[in-house]
């Protein structure tokens, strides 16, 4: 499973789902820096052969005095799947801090807050000429409203010029508010969209 688009914003229980593997990039909903992430490996796969066959995941690699005693054997468990250069002293403290912050907030609280905010935003976007699928057909943390055919081609550039940053994917906008988004931000987004769509 790739949970990059949801981990940190949607509650997930690996014990209930029992996935073989779960990959997550750290730079989205986990609020971490680029080049960080997590890989969960199901218990039945933890003796597998990793894609990267680097030295730091080999048995005994933590003993730097014995690094010349090369071995083909990996560390037990999922550690064998770690990336090379995992000892990134610049990025890992920032990633750890981000994850601790999320755990402190509670992922279920983040999900509930975004569900409420996006439900309101969805109704307001529908009222200015966009179409948001109902919540039963989308995640509570993510909106991709369909634009009317009359939407200007440079809509996102116009919004960016006013300090509103969203991306366009075909005939849809990708809108992903987070806890730092407040009611004033939402009001301004809806007002400027209505202006540029001339509703």
């Amino acid at each position: 499973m790739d949970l990059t688009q949801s981990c940190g914003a949607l509650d997930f229980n690996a014990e209930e789902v029992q996935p073989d593997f779960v990959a997550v990039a750290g730079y989205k909903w986990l609020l971490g820096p680029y080049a960080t992430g997590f890989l969960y490996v199901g218990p039945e796969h933890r003796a597998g052969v990793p894609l990267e066959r680097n030295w730091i995941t080999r048995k005994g690699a933590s003993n730097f005095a014995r690094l010349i005693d090369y071995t083909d054997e990996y560390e037990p468990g999922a550690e064998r799947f770690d990336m090379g250069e995992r000892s990134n002293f610049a990025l890992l403290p920032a990633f750890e801090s981000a994850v601790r912050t999320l755990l402190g907030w509670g992922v279920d609280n983040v999900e509930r807050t975004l569900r409420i905010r996006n439900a309101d935003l969805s109704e307001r976007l529908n009222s200015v000429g966009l179409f948001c699928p109902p919540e039963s057909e989308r995640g509570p943390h993510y909106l991709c409203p369909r634009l009317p055919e009359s939407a200007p081609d440079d809509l996102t550039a116009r919004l960016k010029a006013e300090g509103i940053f969203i991306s366009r994917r075909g005939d849809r906008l990708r809108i992903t508010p987070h806890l730092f988004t407040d009611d004033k931000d939402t009001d301004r987004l809806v007002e400027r969209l209505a202006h540029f769509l001339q509703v």
Side-chain angles (χ1 to χ4, degrees), residues 53 59 67 82 115 129 145 151 189 199:
R53 300 182 183 199
K59 188 171 183 179
L67 284 183
D82 280 353
R115 180 187 307 275
L189 170 64
V199 175

Side-chain angles (χ1 to χ4, degrees), residues 20-192:
D20 293 316
F21 297 90
V22 176
V24 180
Y27 69 93
K28 290 198 179 238
W29 296 99
L30 291 178
L31 308 177
Y34 281 107
T36 60
F38 289 113
L39 175 69
Y40 169 85
V41 180
E44 66 275 20
H45 300 292
R46 292 179 188 167
V49 178
L51 294 175
E52 286 192 44
R53 300 182 183 199
N54 55 75
W55 67 269
I56 201 166
T57 60
R58 306 289 177 160
K59 188 171 183 179
S62 59
N63 182 355
F64 276 51
R66 302 291 305 269
L67 284 183
I68 60 170
D69 299 329
Y70 296 108
T71 177
D72 290 334
E73 192 175 350
Y74 292 99
E75 287 287 354
E79 188 175 347
R80 68 182 57 216
F81 296 100
D82 280 353
M83 64 179 279
E85 299 182 1
R86 69 178 182 201
S87 310
N88 190 319
F89 303 115
L91 299 182
L92 291 183
F95 193 28
E96 179 183 1
S97 179
V99 171
R100 286 187 186 280
T101 297
L102 276 170
L103 292 175
W105 291 340
V107 174
D108 55 334
N109 290 328
V110 173
E111 180 179 344
R112 185 169 40 256
T113 301
L114 297 180
R115 180 187 307 275
I116 293 167
R117 176 161 290 145
N118 281 332
D120 174 66
L121 181 55
S122 176
E123 287 183 18
R124 296 181 67 190
L125 291 173
N126 285 336
S127 74
V128 297
L130 291 94
F131 170 73
C132 290
E135 191 174 325
S136 61
E137 297 176 15
R138 61 176 170 80
H141 65 304
Y142 206 106
L143 290 175
C144 284
R146 189 173 62 241
L147 290 162
E149 291 184 10
S150 60
D153 291 338
D154 64 345
L155 175 62
T156 55
R158 294 184 193 187
L159 292 168
K160 182 179 178 181
E162 300 200 19
I164 299 171
F165 301 93
I166 55 179
S167 61
R168 186 169 181 166
R169 307 289 166 90
D171 65 347
R172 295 182 180 270
L173 292 179
R174 181 182 181 277
I175 304 172
T176 52
H178 208 298
L179 301 186
F180 50 77
T181 308
D182 61 24
D183 292 340
K184 286 169 50 177
D185 296 324
T186 301
D187 291 344
R188 198 158 71 87
L189 170 64
V190 174
E191 189 275 325
R192 298 319 291 159

